[in-house]
Amino acid sequence: MLNKKYKKIAVGGTFDKFHRGHEKLLSTAFEMGEEVLIGVTSDSFASNKIHEIESYSIRVNRIEKFVSKYNVPYEIKEIFDAYGTADKDSKLDAIVVSQETEKTALKINEERFQNNFKLLDIIVIDWVLANDGIPISSTRIRKGEIDTIGKTL
């Protein structure tokens, strides 16, 4: 097994319309961590969005199917705010985020500092681009612009 850089690493999101960007976020966490904490927004937290979101169970099932190929222990936690438990989990070493959610990771580290926890290393992944050169997103999939692998429709 490759040497893992982190003992416990976190990743989180809504994971609606599961796509290649989500895959990159999760695979980065699984490649770098000995243990992975996956925070998935609750239906109630996700309902704050303007558009309809797939149910929590559908989103979790898709994540579990994708991560089943990794021989790394993981835990999926339902989260009810943008921080999940990342601001309070003293065992976490790092967090994987997209460019879109990097600001949240910085705020999590501010909270960790206030709580006298070590700051998380923040791993920011690059956008995964659709074949039109624009980032893949659940919003673009929902609008029918692209599919989950980034092919324009």
Side-chain angles (χ1 to χ4, degrees):
M1 181 156 111
L2 295 170
N3 281 345
K4 301 287 185 169
K5 185 165 181 176
Y6 300 103
K7 190 140 186 75
K8 187 173 182 186
I9 195 166
V11 61
T14 303
F15 298 100
D16 185 46
K17 306 292 184 198
F18 194 80
H19 57 71
R20 289 249 168 104
H22 297 133
E23 291 176 1
K24 185 172 182 181
L25 202 62
L26 290 165
S27 61
T28 300
F30 276 83
E31 288 160 11
M32 297 183 84
E34 292 176 16
E35 182 183 349
V36 179
L37 172 63
I38 306 168
V40 180
T41 58
S42 67
D43 286 338
S44 60
F45 181 43
S47 72
N48 294 336
K49 302 202 182 253
I50 306 166
H51 41 76
E52 194 170 316
I53 303 291
E54 296 165 321
S55 74
Y56 177 80
S57 60
I58 287 172
R59 293 179 283 127
V60 166
N61 285 338
R62 286 195 182 126
I63 292 166
E64 287 177 330
K65 184 177 178 187
F66 177 75
V67 302
S68 66
K69 64 185 170 191
Y70 295 101
N71 190 20
V72 173
Y74 70 92
E75 177 185 9
I76 295 177
K77 270 195 175 173
E78 187 173 18
I79 59 174
F80 299 91
D81 61 38
Y83 298 173
T85 58
D87 59 332
K88 299 174 200 76
D89 187 336
S90 62
K91 293 183 176 158
L92 282 177
D93 302 310
I95 187 166
V96 180
V97 295
S98 65
Q99 294 170 7
E100 184 180 27
T101 56
E102 183 178 10
K103 286 180 183 167
T104 301
L106 293 169
K107 289 179 182 172
I108 287 169
N109 267 345
E110 288 175 18
E111 288 294 317
R112 290 178 69 86
F113 181 78
Q114 297 296 325
N115 294 331
N116 293 315
F117 292 147
K118 69 179 178 203
L119 300 184
L120 300 177
D121 283 354
I122 300 171
I123 299 127
V124 183
I125 63 162
D126 291 329
W127 291 110
V128 176
L129 302 180
N131 63 2
D132 61 3
I134 300 169
I136 296 174
S137 71
S138 300
T139 300
R140 293 191 69 207
I141 294 165
R142 201 175 297 102
K143 286 180 178 177
E145 294 174 18
I146 58 171
D147 64 16
T148 58
I149 61 169
K151 182 178 172 216
T152 50
L153 301 175

